[in-house]
Amino acid sequence: MKQLLCFWSFLMMAIPVIAQNRNQADLITNARTLKKGLYKSFEEFQTNSPSEEGDLIIKNRSAAAQIYLLASRNELVIRDAGGQEHKIKNYWGFCDGQYIYIKDNGLNKIQELGYYCMYELHVMQPSRGIVNQADMTVNSINTPVQLKKVVNIVTGQILELSAYNLKKYILPQDSSLLDEFRVDKEKKDQLEYYIYRFNQRNKPTLK
């Protein structure tokens, strides 16, 4: 009887550990290989489970389309058996088997895969106007802007990578790293560094 009780006690302690290890294994951050295909939702990306495959291609748009039509810099198309290309509209992201791309004003390659996945957003933003001396009209000038963002691999929350968001939402999960960040006089120039550090020090699990 005593041995049976010891066995059940051990089993009850082991179940949470087994569950945690399984949840860690389910995450794309622990995948040995990236599965090629289309993510229709964040959850499909999170668990390395694209729901649609095929001849998927990223097509870049011209600079003129980006400037004058305010179009995203690229789009995803699928090529059918006859060679015809069809636009894909409703999806979360895409993996070509080597790199992961998040759909956010076009497709943006993930540069850091971890607890917080980092990518760079490219947009055309109206900045200022110039006066056309010929007819005295004002023409606006669109300039390219690059913006870093991060995705929480557990919750799917997307944040702009800024000193405020690091201090308010990300680093409070790691008090030692938060203390280091607070006293760092160069922190505004090292935002990416703190994402790398956080990912190295913290391993996500599915709840």
Side-chain angles (χ1 to χ4, degrees), residues 57-193:
I57 307 164
I58 298 176
K59 305 241 357 186
N60 293 321
R61 289 193 171 104
S62 67
Q66 295 179 57
I67 294 173
Y68 297 111
L69 301 179
L70 293 180
S72 56
R73 66 193 180 110
N74 53 36
E75 62 181 345
L76 189 65
V77 301
I78 187 167
R79 185 181 293 158
D80 61 26
Q84 294 293 318
E85 295 179 352
H86 308 276
K87 295 180 182 179
I88 302 176
K89 294 182 179 179
N90 299 317
Y91 65 98
W92 190 91
F94 159 70
C95 178
D96 63 7
Q98 185 176 6
Y99 300 109
I100 298 169
Y101 300 84
I102 293 177
K103 182 187 177 186
D104 186 353
N105 193 52
L107 287 156
N108 308 280
K109 185 170 71 175
I110 287 183
Q111 300 169 333
E112 163 73 1
L113 185 64
Y115 202 124
Y116 280 89
C117 304
M118 183 168 57
Y119 66 97
E120 189 171 75
L121 179 66
H122 297 253
V123 295
M124 298 300 295
Q125 179 175 297
S127 56
R128 62 186 179 87
I130 59 172
V131 177
N132 186 335
Q133 298 296 334
D135 55 12
M136 297 305 294
T137 58
V138 178
N139 300 319
S140 62
I141 296 179
N142 297 308
T143 55
V145 175
Q146 296 177 352
L147 180 68
K148 294 282 185 178
K149 288 189 173 183
V150 291
V151 185
N152 185 311
I153 195 66
V154 177
T155 66
Q157 181 185 37
I158 298 179
L159 296 170
E160 180 183 341
L161 182 55
S162 65
Y164 175 82
N165 285 336
L166 273 167
K167 184 178 178 180
K168 180 73 174 179
Y169 300 109
I170 300 173
L171 298 183
Q173 301 168 85
D174 187 328
S175 57
S176 297
L177 197 57
L178 177 60
D179 291 340
E180 181 182 330
F181 181 78
R182 282 173 170 162
V183 298
D184 187 352
K185 296 181 180 179
E186 306 295 329
K187 56 176 169 271
K188 289 186 178 180
D189 298 320
Q190 300 193 73
L191 303 182
E192 295 177 36
Y193 163 79

